[in-house]
Amino acid sequence: DSGVTQTPKHLITATGQRVTLRCSPRSGDLSVYWYQQSLDQGLQFLIQYYNGEERAKGNILERFSAQQFPDLHSELNLSSLELGDSALYFCASSVFGRNTGELFFGEGSRLTVL
Amino acid sequence: QQQVKQSPQSLIVQKGGISIINCAYENTAFDYFPWYQQFPGKGPALLIAIRPDVSEKKEGRFTISFNKSAKQFSLHIMDSQPGDSATYFCAASSYSGAGSYQLTFGKGTKLSVIP
């Protein structure tokens, strides 16, 4: 158990809809990362937050947005969903400022867009 | 843009054999190279990592070999076991500013160890 909690574990929705994925980081970790995992693209970095502030952006679509709340949990919002958005979405947390290369990943949220 | 190239995509190894996964990178700003292991239905978990000032790091049956001049690194799994069957990701870390570090992952290698 990594200590990172993600909900929901599975989500099935239709094209054009909007969903919200939730992540609670490990106790004490201020930094939260979101990754998208698909079969052909591997793990793609989407966005990082530290203590409520956006710190880095990766390949995140404009239809996607995220935020980190004062209690440090984070939400990833996906809107105007397309079939190609079907993927596993992982949240990870880390000890900010230390380049240990170690991210602690949750078990992911599997999104299926029909 | 694939900054970390990983091969092979899949690997089948006999129990007791050696599994070898290779990665290459271009960005010389990368300064930490972890490997992650992912079992089905789970998130990736750190397996072993190396800094570029070290050429080899060993932890149990797992060894990272690092060649800084060639910008390549590899994971060797000795005496491979069926329980090692998983997807392995190499990664490279770099400073992304404002005290933050970012991991760039390879596309993964699915390892199957057959009895």
Side-chain angles (χ1 to χ4, degrees):
Chain A
D1 184 4
S2 67
V4 177
T5 304
Q6 288 188 251
T7 57
K9 286 192 184 302
H10 301 276
L11 193 54
I12 301 174
T13 188
T15 55
Q17 294 299 303
R18 172 190 169 94
V19 299
T20 297
L21 310 181
R22 183 188 167 103
C23 168
S24 294
R26 282 192 329 158
S27 176
D29 285 354
L30 300 178
S31 201
V32 168
Y33 302 74
W34 286 97
Y35 282 84
Q36 179 190 57
Q37 184 176 34
S38 56
L39 281 174
D40 57 343
Q41 291 297 319
L43 279 162
Q44 294 286 310
F45 169 67
L46 296 179
I47 197 164
Q48 179 203 355
Y49 279 82
Y50 170 70
N51 203 21
E53 291 186 5
E54 181 185 306
R55 282 303 173 99
K57 241 177 180 177
N59 301 318
I60 189 166
L61 299 172
E62 284 191 14
R63 301 183 285 108
F64 296 180
S65 65
Q67 54 184 324
Q68 186 179 26
F69 295 87
D71 67 352
L72 301 179
H73 91 271
S74 178
E75 293 181 356
L76 179 67
N77 301 297
L78 316 174
S79 62
S80 302
L81 285 167
E82 302 175 359
L83 295 178
D85 298 327
S86 296
L88 259 175
Y89 291 85
F90 284 103
C91 169
S93 70
S94 76
V95 177
F96 178 73
R98 286 173 52 192
N99 191 12
T100 64
E102 181 163 21
L103 296 184
F104 295 88
F105 283 83
E107 295 197 342
S109 293
R110 181 174 293 280
L111 174 65
T112 303
V113 182
L114 300 176
Chain B
Q1 181 187 2
Q2 181 64 35
Q3 294 190 51
V4 179
K5 294 184 179 180
Q6 183 172 347
S7 63
Q9 202 169 350
S10 63
L11 184 59
I12 299 175
V13 173
Q14 203 86 26
K15 178 183 174 183
I18 302 173
S19 304
I20 302 174
I21 304 170
N22 300 299
C23 285
Y25 65 98
E26 290 294 326
N27 188 350
T28 55
F30 290 139
D31 58 5
Y32 198 72
F33 299 89
W35 284 85
Y36 280 76
Q37 180 188 54
Q38 183 181 26
F39 293 105
K42 301 293 185 182
L46 180 68
L47 181 65
I48 186 173
I50 197 168
R51 294 202 179 275
D53 53 350
V54 176
S55 60
E56 186 176 282
K57 182 173 182 180
K58 184 176 180 179
E59 290 184 2
R61 295 183 295 108
F62 300 89
T63 300
I64 301 178
S65 297
F66 189 84
N67 185 330
K68 189 173 181 178
S69 60
K71 290 186 277 187
Q72 295 175 347
F73 58 111
S74 60
L75 176 70
H76 294 236
I77 306 174
M78 310 300 289
D79 187 26
S80 299
Q81 299 296 311
D84 297 329
S85 298
T87 299
Y88 293 80
F89 293 93
C90 62
S93 177
S94 62
Y95 185 64
S96 55
S100 290
Y101 294 88
Q102 198 173 119
L103 272 182
T104 302
F105 286 88
K107 290 195 174 184
T109 296
K110 185 173 182 181
L111 172 65
S112 299
V113 181
I114 54 177

